[in-house]
Amino acid sequence: MPPPADIDLYKGPVGSLRRRCPLCPSHSATSSRLLRCTGCRAFHYCSRDHQVAHRPQHKSACAKIKKARAKLDHEDHQVRDAEPDFMTPANAFETHVGSFWGIVSTRDYMRARFALAQQLLLIGTLDGVSEGFEHLRDMLRLCRSDNMGVRNIVPAVMLRLDLDQECYDFIKWWATCDPDGTYDWADMTLPYLNVHGADALEDPGFLLGRHPELNFLIALLILKLKLLVDIRNLKVTRKIFAQRPLPVELRDQIERDVVRSPLSAKLQKESYASLIKIETKLLNHCRQIGTSLVQANDHFLSNLFEPEEALSDKPDSYSHGSWEEMALAMQYSYAAWWETEGVLDLLSDARACAAWGSKPEIEDWIANKNTRKAQDPEEFLPNLGLNRIWEYLEYAIESASFLGPLHEQRSERHKIENQEGMVKLVVEVGEYYQARRDDKD
């Protein structure tokens, strides 16, 4: 189990990234006049006193960033002022932009820049994430073929910065740029990352092929869920407006304040009936993407709800569908999951609904001896909700926008209707395995 402080690096304030003092209540002190740490240039404070007080917590991360910057400066100098020979250009920044990795002498520079970007992203502040993103984006400019896998990190970082349209365009370009495997990455005249303004509400089929990129699936799922949360907020707001009329200007301002994604500016112009249709479309997209995600890596979803082990792992390599691939994807994306308010709540509620609706699966499990031998209840029962989470996402979305009594929510009604039978079945499962353990003893 990793130290709690390490896991907390992925769990900063929920909501959009802003400059804020880490020691003020609820991180509420935000201002353009905040004092900036001159060491890492990524943290801000409301006062010198708070900067000094935070120093014990910040010192290690600050030192790592300073060290990473110094390393990058050194490697930058090595590339710009290299002694030219038959393998090394005098200045690759002038002669080999787009194909850096092909020049061996640039690789230490690229690794140093990647290491700095990782440290900045992990620190989790607006300035840190913004600068880390700029490093990653420029690394793609320097090396189009992306030999270091930078493209796997970028989409989730864009979502953290609310660059939602840019995120969608980025995913779509990489997913569609080389359909027949003939794209010449060394040809600088070919279009590169030139998808702009693609329709984020379109069907995600372009990504759901035989071997979809796990990190792209994750980012696209977060984006679609983010839009669903915004629609939920707009629906609730309009229900309240229907009961208490307000001036149009005030209503418009409130609607702008309750959504997160810049893409939702268009949703504000839609009627309530249109929002329902868009919600249904996004719900279907989430089901498709979620199903594809589970097929791509069946470790991800269960670890999303309990991410501690995955966030602390340090994989050296991975294969598709492996634990190691999942751990890296979790580390790349978990901050985006955490900071995007409402998305984990939706999935958690859907998981709970699915578990309460799994009575037939439990009955089959009890009746089937081969199934019981293959999976203990400690494994089987928690996974019930995971197996059918996408089927019940609609329940969670409907409940999230319901303003009536709790017991009348669809998810709560579903739980109550299935509770008695489920309790009996779970007890029966527990008794079966307790008897089995007693026999072994």
Side-chain angles (χ1 to χ4, degrees):
M1 184 64 66
D6 292 344
I7 297 172
D8 289 345
L9 291 173
Y10 296 91
K11 297 182 177 181
V14 176
S16 297
L17 292 171
R18 297 179 296 165
R19 288 197 179 108
R20 60 187 95 208
C21 175
L23 291 190
C24 289
S26 303
H27 304 277
S28 59
T30 59
S31 168
S32 59
R33 298 181 180 180
L34 292 174
L35 303 176
R36 186 171 73 166
C37 173
T38 57
C40 67
R41 306 200 295 270
F43 259 95
H44 287 77
Y45 300 92
C46 64
S47 66
R48 175 67 177 167
D49 288 344
H50 274 190
Q51 184 173 7
V52 172
H54 191 244
R55 185 63 183 167
Q57 299 166 254
H58 177 55
K59 183 177 180 180
S60 176
C62 188
K64 289 177 182 178
I65 291 176
K66 288 168 66 177
K67 183 177 179 179
R69 286 194 199 281
K71 174 67 173 175
L72 178 59
D73 289 343
H74 171 75
E75 297 300 340
D76 183 277
H77 174 76
Q78 295 294 101
V79 173
R80 293 184 186 278
D81 301 311
E83 288 291 334
D85 57 34
F86 73 99
M87 291 183 63
T88 307
N91 185 352
F93 288 104
E94 294 181 353
T95 59
H96 287 79
V97 170
S99 56
F100 248 45
W101 197 257
I103 307 300
V104 175
S105 60
T106 69
R107 294 183 182 180
D108 285 343
Y109 165 84
M110 294 292 277
R111 294 187 184 103
R113 197 163 188 185
F114 187 77
L116 174 58
Q118 285 186 307
Q119 290 294 334
L120 289 165
L121 295 175
L122 199 56
I123 208 169
T125 64
L126 174 59
D127 290 82
V129 176
S130 297
E131 185 186 344
F133 170 60
E134 291 304 323
H135 284 299
L136 296 177
R137 185 163 65 172
D138 200 53
M139 288 176 69
L140 290 174
R141 180 185 69 88
L142 294 173
C143 184
R144 284 188 169 196
S145 57
D146 186 28
N147 300 73
M148 297 188 71
V150 169
R151 65 186 179 278
N152 295 328
I153 306 175
V154 166
V157 177
M158 287 178 165
L159 292 176
R160 297 180 69 186
L161 295 168
D162 291 326
L163 299 173
D164 295 354
Q165 181 64 62
E166 293 84 348
C167 172
Y168 189 78
D169 293 340
F170 185 91
I171 291 172
K172 186 162 189 181
W173 189 87
W174 278 101
T176 61
C177 68
D178 192 17
D180 53 6
T182 60
Y183 187 91
D184 185 355
W185 298 98
D187 186 350
M188 297 300 110
T189 66
L190 291 179
Y192 184 68
L193 293 176
N194 64 332
V195 173
H196 303 291
D199 182 9
L201 299 180
E202 68 183 343
D203 187 271
F206 69 88
L207 185 60
L208 311 182
R210 290 184 59 189
H211 302 291
E213 168 54 51
L214 177 62
N215 293 283
F216 291 173
L217 288 172
I218 293 167
L220 189 55
L221 180 59
I222 297 174
L223 175 55
K224 299 280 187 176
L225 289 169
K226 189 177 187 179
L227 293 173
L228 278 172
V229 170
D230 280 354
I231 289 177
R232 184 272 311 274
N233 292 343
L234 288 173
K235 287 168 58 183
V236 170
T237 301
R238 291 184 184 180
K239 287 179 180 179
I240 295 173
F241 288 161
Q243 300 172 7
R244 186 174 182 179
L246 294 172
V248 174
E249 296 81 3
L250 183 56
R251 291 177 51 150
D252 290 344
Q253 181 60 53
I254 292 173
E255 288 200 355
R256 287 192 292 269
D257 290 342
V258 299
V259 298
R260 165 88 182 264
S261 175
L263 295 174
S264 295
K266 296 179 180 178
L267 299 178
Q268 293 174 244
K269 302 175 183 178
E270 301 289 344
S271 67
Y272 193 91
S274 294
L275 287 178
I276 297 295
K277 292 180 180 179
I278 297 171
E279 181 181 66
T280 301
K281 179 193 292 189
L282 287 170
L283 177 61
N284 289 331
H285 293 174
C286 288
R287 289 188 183 121
Q288 294 177 57
I289 300 166
T291 300
S292 185
L293 190 156
V294 172
Q295 292 171 349
N297 192 302
D298 61 4
H299 301 285
F300 188 83
L301 199 56
S302 59
N303 283 277
L304 178 61
F305 295 102
E306 297 179 1
E308 289 76 12
E309 186 176 358
L311 293 179
S312 64
D313 199 9
K314 304 295 180 186
D316 294 323
S317 60
Y318 68 87
S319 58
H320 291 297
S322 66
W323 162 272
E324 291 77 12
E325 180 194 38
M326 176 280 299
L328 284 173
M330 190 69 69
Q331 292 166 28
Y332 295 160
S333 67
Y334 192 77
W337 284 105
W338 181 265
E339 293 164 4
T340 308
E341 186 174 6
V343 296
L344 288 175
D345 293 334
L346 279 180
L347 294 186
S348 295
D349 194 20
R351 182 187 186 187
C353 289
W356 285 108
S358 299
K359 181 178 177 182
E361 289 185 57
I362 295 183
E363 291 174 335
D364 179 67
W365 185 87
I366 292 173
N368 191 321
K369 292 183 179 180
N370 293 329
T371 305
R372 292 202 304 267
K373 291 178 181 179
Q375 196 172 31
D376 284 353
E378 290 84 356
E379 300 172 349
F380 176 70
L381 295 176
N383 288 336
L384 281 175
L386 292 174
N387 295 338
R388 304 173 67 187
I389 193 170
W390 309 113
E391 177 184 346
Y392 284 88
L393 184 58
E394 180 182 1
Y395 284 56
I397 291 171
E398 183 176 326
S399 296
S401 58
F402 183 73
L403 296 182
L406 176 64
H407 68 275
E408 293 183 9
Q409 284 186 0
R410 186 176 183 184
S411 59
E412 194 66 18
R413 293 200 316 270
H414 174 74
K415 176 181 176 181
I416 293 170
E417 290 167 0
N418 290 276
Q419 190 167 18
E420 183 177 351
M422 282 289 291
V423 168
K424 290 180 179 178
L425 286 170
V426 171
V427 168
E428 186 174 344
V429 170
E431 289 175 347
Y432 170 86
Y433 264 88
Q434 184 60 51
R436 184 174 166 182
R437 283 190 288 266
D438 292 343
D439 290 342
K440 289 182 179 179
D441 295 338

